[in-house]
Structure formats: structure tokens, C-alpha cells
Amino acid sequence: MSNVIVLETLIMTEVTVFDPPQCCASGVCGPSVDPKLSKLAGDLAWLRHSGVTVNRYNLSQQPGAFVENATIQGILEKEGEGALPVFLVDGEVKSQGAYPDREQLAQWTGLEAECSTSVSPGNSCCG
């Protein structure tokens, strides 16, 4: 019976990412890809595969999403673009100004962290 409750909680969890201006939706393109963005793309795919709803907005391509969200609009008015990226989990600010690792994302969503395939041995949760 408790497994049903956990599953319902996972399905209802929503992670929303508000990224700084980037060249594309994921920031994983061009001649010099930031390894943090590559790792994040894999971690967000892992969340989706685990049943978490993930929404990701890029300031240069989807400015309306930033304006429509009162929390994000307030952060930008107070702290400027330097506060990006901002991560919301079910509407609550969990992180701003940095990209979280998979362990943090797992903790926020109630999942058990699995090793990311895009991380070098010795630099991940799996050592």
C-alpha cells in the first residue's frame, strides 16, 4: 500500500529549470560545450525517465516563461540574470546561480540517485 503512495508522489513532482541565455534549449551545442550543461542534460533525461515532469526554459528563446512566473520575475528584478539558473521543484525554489548535481536532483524529487553515464569515474556519486 505504501508503494502506491510513493509512486503517486513521484508522478506529481515537477522540476522547472530557468536557464540563462544560451544558444539552444539545452546549451549543449557549438564548438565548446560546457561539461556542466552536458551532465545536466543527462540528469534531466534521467529525471524524465524516472517519472518526473521536467520543464526547461531558456531566457534568450523563451522570455515569456520568465515573465509569467512571479517567483522568477521577482528573482530577476532583485538579483538580475546572475541568479540564473534557477531550479524550482513543485514551484519551490531549490537552487539558484548554479547547476545541481544528480544527487541534489534526486534528493529534491525523492528519487534514489543512479550514476550518470556522462561523468568520469571518481567524479560522481558512484566514485
Side-chain angles (χ1 to χ4, degrees), residues 13-117:
T13 301
E14 179 180 77
V15 173
T16 307
V17 183
F18 290 89
D19 278 306
Q22 300 177 139
C23 58
C24 65
S26 66
V28 183
C29 59
S32 60
V33 176
D34 183 341
K36 291 178 187 173
L37 293 176
S38 177
K39 183 177 179 318
L40 179 67
D43 291 344
L44 294 178
W46 170 75
L47 283 177
R48 287 185 186 102
H49 181 74
S50 300
V52 174
T53 299
V54 177
N55 300 305
R56 190 171 185 188
Y57 302 106
N58 178 336
L59 183 57
S60 63
Q61 297 179 343
Q62 299 151 305
F66 291 72
V67 173
E68 292 170 3
N69 186 300
T71 300
I72 298 303
Q73 188 177 19
I75 289 171
L76 289 175
E77 287 174 359
K78 185 176 178 181
E79 302 178 41
E81 288 183 27
L84 299 174
V86 175
F87 285 74
L88 304 180
V89 176
D90 294 331
E92 179 183 344
V93 176
K94 291 292 189 180
S95 171
Q96 63 184 67
Y99 288 102
D101 60 22
R102 183 173 291 203
E103 287 178 307
Q104 289 172 302
L105 292 168
Q107 183 181 19
W108 298 342
T109 57
L111 297 172
E112 186 173 326
E114 297 174 4
C115 286
S116 171
T117 56

